[in-house]
Amino acid sequence: MSAAGAEALLTIDGVGKRFGGVAAVRDVSFSVADRSVVGLIGPNGSGKTTLLNIVNGVLAPDRGEIRLGGSATAGRRPSDLAALGLARTFQAARVFRTLTAMQNLFVPLLHQKALERRAAHRRAFDLLVFVGLERHADRVASELSGGQQRLLEFARTLVTRPRIVLMDEPFAGVHPQIKATLIRCIRETVSREGASFLIVSHEVPDLVAMSDRMVCLVEGAVAAWGAPADVVQEEKVIDGYLGRSEEPA
Amino acid sequence: MFSVFLIPTSTGSRAAAAAVWAAWVAVLIGLAAYGLFGTRLFLLSTLATVFMYAVLTQAWNLLGGYGGYLNFGLVTFFGIGAYTTGILFQYYELSPFLTAPVAGLVAAIAGLLIGFPTLRLRGAYFALVTMIITFAVQILALNLTITQGALGIYLPRLPLSPLAVERLFYFVFLGLLVLVTAVVWAVQHSNIGGALVAIREDEDAAEIVGVRTVEVKWAVNAVSCFIVGVTGGLYAQRIAYIEPTGTFSFDISLNVVLMAVIGGAGTWQGPLIGAPVVLLVADLLRVTVTSEVNRVIFSLIVILIALFVPGGVMGAVSRWRRARAAKPDDVSGSPAP
Ligand SMILES: Nc1ncnc2c1ncn2[C@@H]1O[C@H](COP(=O)(O)OP(=O)(O)O)[C@@H](O)[C@H]1O
Ligand SMILES: [Mg+2]
């Protein structure tokens, strides 16, 4: 956690976005501190992916501001934001299918100034070992299973040593073993490299276990923000997302 | 802005790779020997044309094959190169052999300017606009005073025997081809090649992952235009007369795309295979059918290849290789859909 008063690593400040008549994101504010995991929950269509798209510069917000490391990101391209230490994964893994697993990891390194070839090779191979794909280093990505593609995509976000990684439903539809690997890797990346994560997921118990903070969107607006245990108890969150499954109908 | 270095590619057996390299070197030695000792003018001249087209196709391959930006107006930069050396001779009597690099530079600058708006377009729009720009530039060449309109520009005949002239261009274009192929090989095996393939497959993801896609496309396009401009500049000397219709002929653009697609776009070997194959077929068709029928047959061939041989000759080769290398102990799950 950052010291009180200091600017958080990522600040989302009063952000709104409309698509035609649909208000996809409405006045959303919260922040991600250094070396922390923030879980983002909410029903389908509540604006989670849209928010990630705004944060990494794919979409421009209609209102509000994003600050990364204290400076506003308005007008910056996704590749600029990547250079500032922002990385992300997608709801459906987007690997480069005709490149090998190893080559996929080199794509983000093109503009890394200080990196020399040897260091890059080491970094890429270490990451394949980290996510358990080293045996598949020379296989083209399209030959990997869906779960392996997710692991590869995750390794690709880490190759530039990002300060914050946005992950859009990383556990959706993956084998429990892959999910366990992803969770272990996320934890280790936070503790070893000091990175932060903003993770969208419907696997609420897992997210509660791994998050320092949680935020719930309902219909584009923040329904709750705070400690995970508190967020899942909130009236608005239960009504708008989790439901009252324990109670008799 | 870029830190470019070679990266590992998937490798098969070393012995097989060595054998393939030996074959390429043998072909190169054979070609060099023919250039030195061959005396058939027609064959020397045809091979020089094959080399020239292979150079153009390699240049196209950089952005088109790896990056997926299908330029249907490559001849724009070829013509600009040809006119650059033509004009520099016309007004300053400078030999195209000296001014070919200038032709490359002028073409590269034109490529940067034209690329500024066009490289933002994707897919068929890019292809269409590059084609239209050729016609616009051709109309310019027809109407400007400096290009002498439809009259064209004459260049000096070289004070050499016909055989010596053919030999000279044979080696000029063969040398250029070796150089340019080395560049394309290096690109394919470097992280800039990886970035280009990433752009071809998912440009938005490439940008998000950190590739400055706009700059990469501009830079690679400029390099490609430079090569094409140099080639055009030398071509002007070879044919010794340039005029807008032939120099900016759409057939050249089309041929280059065909050669890349048939040989295998996005591989350094593709243009080396596609250029001779297409020119051979074109020559056979030229003596048997009219040029309209010729075009139709060509288009059919391309459609058939696109449908049944994705990746061209090199695509088929690498599928065959992979099938042979596939191991039965594959327990790592089925490929994703
Ligand atoms: N590009 C778009 N154009 C129009 N509407 C969109 C677009 N992207 C998202 N939306 C709408 O915005 C709302 C939020 O979508 P999304 O951010 O994908 O939600 P979530 O990721 O939480 O499921 C939905 O109503 C969706 O239909
Ligand atoms: Mg979503």
Side-chain angles (χ1 to χ4, degrees):
Chain A
M1 289 283 137
S2 59
E7 171 88 38
L9 177 59
L10 177 73
T11 306
I12 295 163
D13 191 358
V15 165
K17 178 78 187 174
R18 299 184 72 89
F19 293 111
V22 185
V25 173
R26 292 192 275 186
D27 194 27
V28 168
S29 299
F30 66 92
S31 60
V32 181
D34 237 356
R35 281 179 178 267
S36 73
V37 176
V38 171
L40 173 54
I41 57 173
N44 283 325
S46 60
K48 304 182 298 294
T49 297
T50 303
L51 187 65
L52 295 196
N53 283 336
I54 292 169
V55 171
N56 86 323
V58 172
L59 292 173
D62 299 334
R63 48 177 47 219
E65 188 178 71
I66 313 281
R67 288 188 300 278
L68 181 64
S71 54
T73 64
R76 292 189 195 269
R77 296 155 57 192
S79 56
D80 292 336
L81 295 171
L84 292 175
L86 186 78
R88 101 170 254 195
T89 66
F90 301 90
Q91 204 162 332
R94 284 162 86 170
V95 293
F96 303 118
R97 299 175 62 85
T98 62
L99 295 178
T100 65
M102 191 72 163
Q103 288 172 321
N104 261 274
L105 299 193
F106 281 89
V107 173
L109 294 176
L110 184 60
H111 308 288
Q112 296 277 306
K113 239 182 262 157
L115 210 72
E116 27 155 306
R117 180 177 135 79
R118 207 109 57 74
H121 278 241
R122 235 209 120 78
R123 175 78 181 154
F125 189 74
D126 287 351
L127 280 171
L128 286 181
V129 174
F130 185 49
V131 300
L133 287 179
E134 72 277 14
R135 283 200 313 125
H136 305 293
D138 287 337
R139 286 179 69 188
V140 291
S142 63
E143 289 177 355
L144 300 177
S145 72
Q148 291 169 334
Q149 293 190 7
R150 274 197 189 268
L151 292 173
L152 178 61
E153 190 191 36
F154 179 66
R156 192 182 60 194
T157 64
L158 299 185
V159 75
T160 52
R161 298 185 194 278
R163 298 163 72 192
I164 179 164
V165 183
L166 319 177
M167 299 185 81
D168 200 351
E169 305 205 15
F171 314 127
V174 303
H175 192 276
Q177 206 183 325
I178 304 262
K179 181 170 130 183
T181 307
L182 277 171
I183 291 176
R184 171 181 61 81
C185 290
I186 291 167
R187 286 216 163 103
E188 284 187 27
T189 306
V190 174
S191 63
R192 287 207 305 220
E193 308 216 344
S196 297
F197 284 83
L198 174 58
I199 303 173
V200 173
S201 179
H202 291 292
E203 317 261 317
V204 177
D206 288 305
L207 212 53
V208 167
M210 64 197 297
S211 299
D212 299 294
R213 295 253 154 168
M214 250 164 95
V215 56
C216 179
L217 293 186
V218 174
E219 290 176 7
V222 174
W225 157 244
D230 299 339
V231 167
V232 293
Q233 305 272 325
E234 284 272 346
E235 201 68 10
K236 276 201 213 162
V237 175
I238 293 169
D239 287 344
Y241 177 47
L242 298 174
R244 296 173 197 275
S245 52
E246 309 94 332
E247 292 180 8
Chain B
M1 195 174 77
F2 298 109
S3 62
V4 177
F5 45 73
L6 295 184
I7 61 178
T9 39
S10 64
T11 44
S13 93
R14 274 176 190 267
V20 171
W21 274 110
W24 283 114
V25 171
V27 169
L28 181 59
I29 291 173
L31 288 173
Y34 190 77
L36 286 174
F37 305 114
T39 50
R40 288 179 61 190
L41 275 183
F42 171 76
L43 197 53
L44 283 170
S45 154
T46 304
L47 283 172
T49 303
V50 170
F51 301 154
M52 185 188 87
Y53 267 107
V55 170
L56 294 177
T57 308
Q58 287 290 30
W60 183 93
N61 200 21
L62 285 173
L63 193 67
Y66 298 99
Y69 274 74
L70 308 188
N71 188 343
F72 274 77
L74 198 81
V75 77
T76 306
F77 307 99
F78 182 78
I80 287 173
Y83 268 95
T84 303
T85 56
I87 289 167
L88 286 173
F89 175 77
Q90 176 83 7
Y91 293 93
Y92 303 102
E93 301 210 351
L94 294 169
S95 160
F97 288 112
L98 285 176
T99 57
V102 181
L105 273 181
V106 173
I109 291 166
L112 283 175
L113 294 177
I114 292 173
F116 188 75
T118 58
L119 286 171
R120 287 161 194 277
L121 303 171
R122 292 193 185 173
Y125 296 101
F126 179 78
L128 199 68
V129 168
T130 50
M131 203 159 89
I132 291 167
I133 286 172
T134 300
F135 296 118
V137 175
Q138 187 177 42
I139 288 168
L140 266 183
L142 272 167
N143 290 290
L144 291 176
T145 6
I146 190 168
T147 56
Q148 309 193 132
L151 218 61
I153 294 175
Y154 286 87
L155 286 99
R157 298 240 160 234
L158 296 169
L160 295 168
S161 72
L163 184 63
V165 170
E166 292 304 345
R167 275 209 178 119
L168 177 62
F169 282 103
Y170 183 98
F171 278 108
V172 163
F173 286 125
L174 180 59
L176 200 56
L177 179 57
V178 171
L179 260 175
V180 170
T181 300
V183 169
V184 173
W185 184 93
V187 165
Q188 180 175 324
H189 292 83
S190 73
N191 54 344
I192 197 146
L196 282 168
V197 172
I199 287 172
R200 179 181 77 206
E201 292 189 0
D202 189 341
E203 185 162 349
D204 296 322
E207 171 78 25
I208 289 165
V209 151
V211 177
R212 298 191 198 286
T213 50
V214 178
E215 288 86 337
V216 168
K217 288 186 287 179
W218 276 348
V220 171
N221 184 52
V223 169
S224 165
C225 290
F226 178 85
I227 296 167
V228 174
V230 169
T231 310
L234 294 167
Y235 166 86
Q237 173 68 76
R238 184 176 184 215
I239 65 162
Y241 168 61
I242 52 173
E243 47 73 42
T245 316
T247 311
F248 289 100
S249 163
F250 178 62
D251 282 355
I252 296 177
S253 292
L254 192 64
N255 272 340
V256 165
V257 179
L258 292 182
M259 287 165 179
V261 169
I262 287 173
T267 67
W268 65 268
Q269 302 97 327
L272 305 179
I273 297 166
V277 168
V278 169
L279 284 181
L280 198 73
V281 174
D283 265 356
L284 286 176
L285 291 178
R286 196 161 17 241
V287 292
T288 49
V289 295
T290 66
S291 73
E292 282 72 27
V293 179
N294 187 334
R295 284 259 187 105
V296 171
I297 294 177
F298 250 165
S299 310
L300 278 177
I301 292 175
V302 173
I303 291 168
L304 288 177
I305 287 200
L307 283 179
F308 297 111
V309 199
V313 173
M314 280 312 295
V317 169
S318 73
R319 266 194 305 283
W320 173 75
R321 263 199 215 145
R322 214 178 301 157
R324 258 188 15 159
K327 288 164 203 147
D329 70 284
D330 212 339
V331 288
S332 44
S334 56

